[in-house]
């Protein structure tokens, strides 16, 4: 928050009108200006401030986009690249020169240049870039995962193709779904793109893969089911997800991941109903699945259950997880006695240390 000083106090007390301060309007800083400031900065603190401002500043012309590209290519530091891409996502400019620029970047040999171009072209829907992006997306994956690649250049090429598929999922969904299913056989992580951008269409595929005996299919299911799907899509498939959660014969992985998503998208009234269903479960597995939904909801209704887990669950990680959930739900005054209890009574040293540390940082 910017606190403005109180000016002209002496003149007001003397009964004289306050003088009007005449200043020229301050022009908003441009992306190109921030580029130059970052290049010229020596102090890390100054560089960090410039990056923070850059991440919130939209590029206004092709010169700004070129400045972003220069930073992206010149510095491999993820803080710089994240700030550049955040700025690029604010791009709201339609220009023939810009279209030519993104096509030019797409034709560069460096993978980083093509990643930048894909993200920019998607933002402005550069029609000239679309055939080049689609061509990249249709290539065969050399590795199942970027982590399997030995050379950095190979890892980056893997990510270029991932970005191309993600672009199509946002831009041309009518051709993306079939391609994503095919490419996820080659690289299971591609199913994550399906989960993020095509959740409603992809959910039946994820359930089928989760029940498959193939490890590749199970990997695809995990990638898709754990992807952060839009809340609106989750709401529209909530009944379908509930049916799977309630089915004891459904694949365990699917039940667990969908339980989390059900909790995330449920209203307070729906959490009340889930709590009743949890209480009526006859077997431990069913209780565990419904508990996952309740915990994911971060609804205050779940506080007693989290507190019980915090104090009584035999699993050290479950108790620590309950504490983390409670930190997101409770006010500091409500959380303090629980932290004090854990710091003194939890049988696990790491959990006690975690609670002690949180107590020191807890606002009073």
């Amino acid at each position: 928050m910017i606190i403005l000083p109180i000016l002209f106090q002496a003149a007001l007390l003397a009964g004289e009108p306050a003088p009007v301060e005449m200043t020229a309007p301050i022009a908003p800083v441009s992306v190109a200006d921030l580029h130059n400031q970052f290049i010229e900065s020596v102090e890390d603190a100054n560089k960090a401030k410039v990056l923070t401002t850059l991440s919130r500043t939209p590029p206004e012309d092709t010169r700004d986009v070129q400045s972003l590209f220069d930073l992206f290519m010149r510095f491999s530091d993820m803080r710089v690249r994240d700030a550049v891409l955040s700025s690029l996502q604010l791009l709201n400019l339609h220009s023939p020169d810009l279209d030519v620029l993104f096509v030019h970047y797409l034709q560069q040999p460096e993978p980083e240049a093509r990643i930048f171009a894909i993200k920019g072209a998607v933002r402005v829907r550069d029609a000239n870039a679309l055939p080049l992006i689609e061509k990249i997306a249709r290539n065969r994956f050399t590795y199942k995962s970027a982590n399997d690649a030995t050379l950095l250049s190979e890892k980056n090429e893997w990510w270029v193709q991932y970005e191309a598929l993600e672009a199509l999922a946002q831009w041309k969904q009518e051709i993306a779904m079939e391609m994503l299913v095919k490419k996820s056989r080659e690289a299971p992580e591609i199913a994550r793109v399906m989960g993020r951008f095509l959740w409603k269409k992809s959910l039946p595929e994820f359930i089928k893969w989760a029940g498959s005996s193939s490890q590749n299919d199970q990997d695809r299911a995990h990638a898709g089911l754990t992807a952060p799907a839009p809340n609106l899509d989750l709401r529209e498939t909530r009944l379908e997800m509930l049916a799977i959660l309630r089915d004891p014969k459904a694949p365990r992985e699917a039940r667990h991941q969908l339980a989390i998503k059900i909790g995330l998208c449920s209203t307070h009234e729906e959490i009340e109903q889930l709590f009743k269903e949890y209480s009526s479960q006859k077997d431990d597995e069913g209780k565990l699945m419904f508990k996952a939904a309740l915990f994911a909801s971060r609804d205050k209704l779940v506080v007693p259950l989290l507190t019980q887990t915090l104090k009584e669950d035999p699993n050290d990680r479950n108790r620590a997880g309950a504490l983390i959930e409670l930190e997101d739900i409770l006010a500091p005054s409500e959380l303090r006695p629980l932290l004090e209890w854990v710091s003194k009574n939890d049988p696990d040293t790491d959990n006690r240390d975690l609670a002690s540390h949180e107590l020191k940082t807890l606002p009073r």
Side-chain angles (χ1 to χ4, degrees):
M1 183 176 72
I2 299 174
I3 302 175
L4 296 177
I6 300 175
L7 302 176
F8 318 128
Q9 198 168 40
L12 288 171
L13 290 173
E16 296 292 332
V20 178
E21 186 179 19
M22 303 297 291
T23 58
I26 300 174
V29 66
S30 70
V31 166
D33 292 334
L34 292 167
H35 164 278
N36 295 337
Q37 288 179 30
F38 184 83
I39 298 295
E40 295 165 4
S41 293
V42 177
E43 300 293 333
D44 289 341
N46 290 337
K47 286 180 176 289
K49 289 180 181 179
V50 172
L51 291 178
T52 299
T53 304
L54 177 66
S55 67
R56 302 169 182 167
T57 304
E60 298 291 345
D61 52 33
T62 53
R63 179 168 174 260
D64 280 350
V65 174
Q66 289 171 318
S67 296
L68 288 176
F69 181 75
D70 181 67
L71 289 174
F72 193 79
M73 297 300 293
R74 193 186 299 197
F75 300 97
S76 59
D77 188 320
M78 289 308 299
R79 293 171 299 176
V80 178
R81 288 186 168 172
D82 286 346
V84 166
L85 294 179
S86 294
S87 174
L88 189 63
Q89 288 306 302
L90 301 174
L91 179 63
N92 189 22
L93 173 68
H94 296 280
S95 161
D97 291 340
L98 194 60
D99 292 348
V100 171
L101 194 62
F102 284 134
V103 169
H104 173 68
Y105 292 156
L106 269 172
Q107 295 171 329
Q108 299 307 299
E110 299 88 354
E112 296 86 350
R114 283 173 276 144
I115 288 174
F116 181 94
I118 290 169
K119 287 187 174 294
V122 171
R123 180 66 189 172
V124 299
R125 297 297 194 261
D126 179 0
N128 294 324
L130 181 59
L132 297 175
I133 293 173
E134 187 175 345
K135 182 179 179 181
I136 293 171
R138 292 188 182 280
N139 290 336
R140 182 171 182 80
F141 277 99
T142 308
Y143 299 96
K144 290 183 65 174
S145 168
N147 293 331
D148 294 338
T150 304
L151 301 176
L152 179 60
S153 59
E154 294 173 329
K155 292 179 187 290
N156 289 339
E157 287 292 349
W158 193 97
W159 283 112
V160 170
Q161 189 169 353
Y162 184 99
E163 291 291 345
L165 287 163
E166 188 171 284
L168 291 181
Q170 298 172 73
W171 193 350
K172 289 290 182 181
Q173 295 189 353
E174 64 273 15
I175 65 171
M177 185 65 187
E178 182 180 353
M179 192 184 305
L180 287 165
V181 171
K182 178 181 178 181
K183 291 301 170 184
S184 68
R185 295 191 193 102
E186 302 170 9
E189 290 176 48
I190 297 305
R192 186 172 178 83
V193 177
M194 298 168 63
R196 286 187 63 196
F197 300 104
L198 298 164
W199 173 259
K200 290 188 291 183
K201 290 183 178 180
S202 301
L203 182 56
E205 295 285 350
F206 297 157
I207 303 307
K208 180 178 69 176
W209 295 339
S212 170
S213 59
S214 163
Q215 185 60 54
N216 201 63
D217 283 347
Q218 291 175 26
D219 291 343
R220 288 200 282 177
H222 179 79
L225 290 168
T226 56
N231 192 68
L232 179 60
D233 287 355
L234 296 180
R235 290 295 304 169
E236 292 181 359
T237 56
R238 188 175 182 277
L239 292 179
E240 187 177 351
M241 294 191 292
L242 269 173
I244 296 165
L245 173 62
R246 291 167 176 155
D247 183 3
K249 295 182 181 179
R252 191 175 192 273
E253 168 77 353
R255 291 183 76 192
H256 178 232
Q257 297 301 335
L258 293 182
I260 293 171
K261 283 181 161 49
I262 290 168
L264 288 171
C265 74
S266 293
T267 65
H268 177 73
E269 292 72 22
E270 290 166 345
I271 293 300
E272 288 181 326
Q273 182 58 42
L274 286 174
F275 203 101
K276 291 177 183 177
E277 290 197 58
Y278 162 78
S279 301
S280 68
Q281 294 297 305
K282 303 300 182 183
D283 63 286
D284 292 341
E285 184 75 0
K287 278 189 172 295
L288 183 65
M289 293 300 167
F290 275 87
K291 185 185 284 189
L294 293 170
F295 284 5
S297 73
R298 290 178 167 81
D299 191 288
K300 273 218 166 187
L301 185 67
V302 188
V303 168
L305 187 58
L306 282 167
T307 303
Q308 181 184 20
T309 302
L310 176 76
K311 294 183 176 182
E312 300 177 10
D313 196 294
N315 187 291
D316 297 341
R317 293 180 62 186
N318 289 347
R319 295 196 305 277
L323 178 60
I324 293 170
E325 294 284 352
L326 286 164
E327 288 178 341
D328 289 339
I329 300 172
L330 297 178
S333 59
E334 299 170 306
L335 183 62
R336 183 174 297 280
L338 292 175
L339 288 172
E340 290 173 345
W341 188 93
V342 174
S343 67
K344 296 174 183 176
N345 300 294
D346 195 283
D348 182 71
T349 302
D350 290 339
N351 286 355
R352 293 197 303 272
D353 291 344
L354 172 65
S356 297
H357 173 75
E358 294 299 314
L359 269 172
K360 294 176 183 176
T361 62
L362 194 68
R364 290 190 176 274

